[in-house]
Amino acid sequence: MNPLITPEELVILNQEKEKRLMLIDARSGPEARERYEELHLEGALWVDLEHDLADIKEDLAQGGRHPLPQPEDFAGLLGRLGITPGSHVVVYDDKNGAFAAARFWWMMKAAGYEKVQVLDGGFEAALEAEFPGSTGTENPAPAQPYPFNEWKLNTVGMNEVKAVTSDPEFLLIDVREAERYRGESEPIDLVAGHIPGAISVPYEKNLGPGGRFLPPEDLKAMYSKIIGNRDKGKIIVHCGSGVTACHTILAMASAGLKMPLLYTGSWSEWSRNGLPIGRTK
């Protein structure tokens, strides 16, 4: 299944009588719940990045700003949402899939789920395509916890990243904005800069006009040039806290490339542990 679905395809899917469509609203940030209740795609259930899609520790040096929850906790969330092995899950946000929508997609894939897609263009694009909107809240039909007990996609920890920063066989891709990578600004974390040895490939490069993903062939050409002949096990993607990095993994999957490793702690963890910091003039 293509990891992306267009708004137009979603409208058609929503009209099918035998559909088992599960819409997930993953918008985040200040007053996200209030914005969901003011207007969301009809039938969409809201998930909270901070509480549903992460297990945030008191000390952010341990795992960064958005460490993954335990598999059993995510399995329970899927059950509470009513997601079963037969559901067709489509998730959206209002950041072109660059934030919590891509994270939810990655977590579903890491749970072994196949029939999950991210809405290309996000919330606004669906409204423009005349997908019906709704207000208030939607009531899920709870099911049993989703049957999985371990993440099935590989992640790496801080020590593993530290061990390969100077190894030319490995490729570290930093998807944050270029000025954050260069160390010119850092609006979120405590220290500006990047992991030594990492290259900058901002996630915005995945997008074309209107905030839609580039065509698969363009994404494949771009990333094939960047990663060369490296095995997926030697490609590590990271961002600020392991969320936006999933946007680039989604882009690679859309291009038909194998999914690389995710450093979930990312810069938010690395920069809080007294490790070397790279800066570019």
Side-chain angles (χ1 to χ4, degrees):
M1 172 173 285
N2 191 320
L4 295 170
I5 184 171
T6 68
E8 296 76 18
E9 290 170 335
L10 181 61
V11 169
I12 295 172
L13 179 63
N14 191 50
Q15 295 170 346
E16 294 180 2
K17 293 182 179 180
E18 301 301 322
K19 69 180 186 299
R20 298 188 67 180
L21 176 64
M22 292 288 300
L23 276 174
I24 301 298
D25 185 316
R27 286 178 290 172
S28 58
E31 302 180 341
R33 177 74 188 199
E34 289 80 0
R35 288 184 284 118
Y36 164 80
E37 292 179 359
E38 287 174 1
L39 183 64
H40 56 267
L41 300 188
E42 187 176 73
L45 302 173
W46 184 67
V47 295
D48 187 336
L49 169 64
E50 306 297 324
H51 297 98
D52 295 330
L53 308 185
D55 181 14
I56 301 172
K57 307 296 191 292
E58 184 175 348
D59 181 5
L60 300 187
Q62 305 300 314
R65 287 185 278 107
H66 293 108
L68 287 172
Q70 293 300 310
E72 57 267 27
D73 292 333
F74 188 59
L77 169 69
L78 298 183
R80 292 192 298 275
L81 293 171
I83 294 174
T84 68
S87 302
H88 185 162
V89 180
V90 175
V91 57
Y92 67 88
D93 61 25
D94 53 4
K95 302 288 191 300
N96 305 121
F99 208 52
R103 168 72 165 234
F104 186 87
W105 169 85
W106 184 94
M107 291 173 69
M108 290 288 290
K109 298 294 288 185
Y113 205 89
E114 292 298 327
K115 209 170 183 179
V116 56
Q117 296 176 292
V118 172
L119 178 59
D120 196 6
F123 177 61
E124 294 83 358
L127 294 178
E128 291 175 3
E130 299 185 353
F131 193 99
S134 185
T135 60
T137 61
E138 306 281 351
N139 296 316
Q144 293 295 316
Y146 189 77
F148 91 105
N149 54 24
E150 63 178 355
W151 300 111
K152 301 180 188 302
L153 295 181
N154 289 332
T155 62
V156 292
M158 181 177 63
N159 290 332
E160 294 170 282
V161 175
K162 182 180 176 182
V164 301
T165 54
S166 60
D167 188 338
E169 293 189 5
F170 282 80
L171 178 66
L172 306 179
I173 299 176
D174 186 329
V175 313
R176 295 174 302 158
E177 296 84 350
E179 58 271 18
R180 292 179 68 189
Y181 169 86
R182 291 192 296 265
E184 297 170 359
S185 68
E186 181 46 65
I188 305 174
D189 291 308
L190 304 178
V191 182
H194 61 263
I195 299 174
I199 67 168
S200 177
V201 187
Y203 79 89
E204 296 101 323
K205 290 183 176 291
N206 300 325
L207 303 173
R212 302 282 188 100
F213 278 79
L214 292 172
E217 58 271 19
D218 292 350
L219 290 169
K220 184 173 184 179
M222 178 175 70
Y223 282 108
S224 294
K225 184 176 181 180
I226 292 169
I227 65 181
N229 60 0
R230 288 183 178 86
D231 180 82
K232 66 175 183 176
K234 294 188 176 181
I235 304 166
I236 301 171
V237 180
H238 68 280
C239 55
S241 68
V243 176
T244 309
C246 296
H247 188 271
T248 287
I249 297 176
L250 173 62
M252 290 183 177
S254 175
L257 299 173
K258 293 182 178 180
M259 294 167 65
L261 305 176
L262 172 65
Y263 173 27
T264 51
S266 289
W267 182 248
S268 60
E269 179 183 47
W270 183 276
S271 62
R272 286 174 166 84
N273 278 277
L275 295 170
I277 293 173
R279 293 187 177 90
T280 304
K281 294 183 179 180

